[in-house]
Amino acid sequence: RYIKGVTLSGRIRPAPWVPSLDDVSRQGLFLDTGAMINIRRDILAFLPGGTKEVNYSYLKDSTAADLSPDGKQVLMNVYQEESVGAARDIYTSYLRPSVGGEPKLLGEGKSLSLSPDLQWALVQRTHPAPHLTMLPTGAGDSRDLPGGGILHYHWAFFFPDGRRILIAAEEKGKPPRTYIQDVTGGPPRPFAEEGMRGVLVSPDGLEIAGTTLEGLQLIYRADGAGRPRTIEGAQPTDQLV
């Protein structure tokens, strides 16, 4: 990473690298707030049965990934600082009780989703190649799911039946799209057209809502039959939640 100075006439000169450069005075002084290197993320929640907002963060930098339906378990990521090019994931997944108890270490990987029966936590791992892994929340062994040709995962979560996973990801040189993968094995299967990223699955598992690169908000049948229908009233800048 580097910074260069340039005059209006086009003369370029090297300049000291400042991590969070915000401004330069006429006298050549640098303003550096350090915002990017001092950032900290916390998990705050006001859950059922509580009387106040509680901080569920752990260690230095935590983000929430999922919450059990009864509000009693928080699936969370803890960011681990690693050197550039490190051959391990920089996220570690934990499951934390919302009332009492310490966070339980599940394993390496960026946590994404809890299975409906709460027996598994879905995480993304980057080595030896990008793929998903199911980590047991109790006793048992982890289960790697083949990544196929996926190079980058945007997000992934379980269908309500717990037997399939909805994935938004992209392969090298291709636009992002939606995939469906069985938890019993096999590579991810492309779903719908390129450019559509699935965001929501209906509670009965029969429909998928997603957003196209053009900003269209559409609902598809999960079996792939028929044509998608537009979500009436949705704007291109809206986000499905």
Side-chain angles (χ1 to χ4, degrees):
R1 307 173 75 177
Y2 58 88
I3 294 175
K4 291 183 179 180
V6 59
T7 66
L8 295 181
S9 62
R11 184 173 64 87
I12 299 177
R13 66 191 186 282
W17 177 62
V18 182
S20 301
L21 179 64
D22 289 286
D23 202 359
V24 182
S25 72
R26 293 180 179 273
Q27 294 74 33
L29 298 177
F30 293 94
L31 175 63
D32 174 23
T33 63
M36 295 302 294
I37 57 176
N38 294 324
I39 189 171
R40 175 191 171 98
R41 290 168 292 190
D42 289 319
I43 303 170
L44 303 175
F46 194 169
L47 300 178
T51 57
K52 62 180 181 179
E53 189 175 64
V54 177
N55 190 324
Y56 291 99
S57 304
Y58 186 58
L59 301 178
K60 178 183 177 182
D61 194 350
S62 305
T63 56
D66 203 357
L67 182 69
S68 62
D70 59 8
K72 294 183 179 180
Q73 299 284 341
V74 181
L75 179 64
M76 56 193 290
N77 290 301
V78 174
Y79 180 80
Q80 308 288 339
E81 292 185 355
E82 294 290 341
S83 60
V84 176
R88 57 168 290 180
D89 289 297
I90 59 175
Y91 290 97
T92 305
S93 294
Y94 289 82
L95 190 63
R96 182 163 197 168
S98 59
V99 180
E102 291 297 314
K104 177 182 179 180
L105 173 64
L106 299 180
E108 285 191 2
K110 185 177 181 180
S111 53
L112 302 170
S113 174
L114 282 169
S115 63
D117 60 7
L118 305 183
Q119 299 300 305
W120 300 94
L122 184 67
V123 305
Q124 173 190 345
R125 288 181 170 175
T126 58
H127 62 274
H131 67 282
L132 300 177
T133 297
M134 294 171 56
L135 300 177
T137 58
D141 297 322
S142 62
R143 293 161 54 182
D144 288 337
L145 302 177
I150 289 179
L151 184 66
H152 174 67
Y153 289 87
H154 293 247
W155 55 76
F157 47 86
F158 288 95
F159 271 75
D161 60 14
R163 299 194 298 268
R164 296 168 293 166
I165 295 169
L166 186 73
I167 301 169
E170 58 189 88
E171 300 179 47
K172 185 176 182 180
K174 296 183 179 181
R177 71 179 308 171
T178 303
Y179 300 82
I180 295 177
Q181 187 167 21
D182 295 328
V183 300
T184 54
R189 305 184 303 275
F191 176 82
E193 69 275 13
E194 288 187 345
M196 195 288 283
R197 296 190 301 171
V199 180
L200 304 170
V201 179
S202 60
D204 58 12
L206 298 180
E207 294 184 314
I208 296 171
T211 304
T212 68
L213 294 180
E214 293 75 26
L216 296 177
Q217 318 287 355
L218 303 173
I219 294 179
Y220 299 74
R221 284 182 50 172
D223 61 7
R227 296 176 60 85
R229 68 181 190 273
T230 302
I231 299 177
E232 297 297 333
Q235 302 298 315
T237 54
D238 291 346
Q239 293 184 351
L240 298 175
V241 296

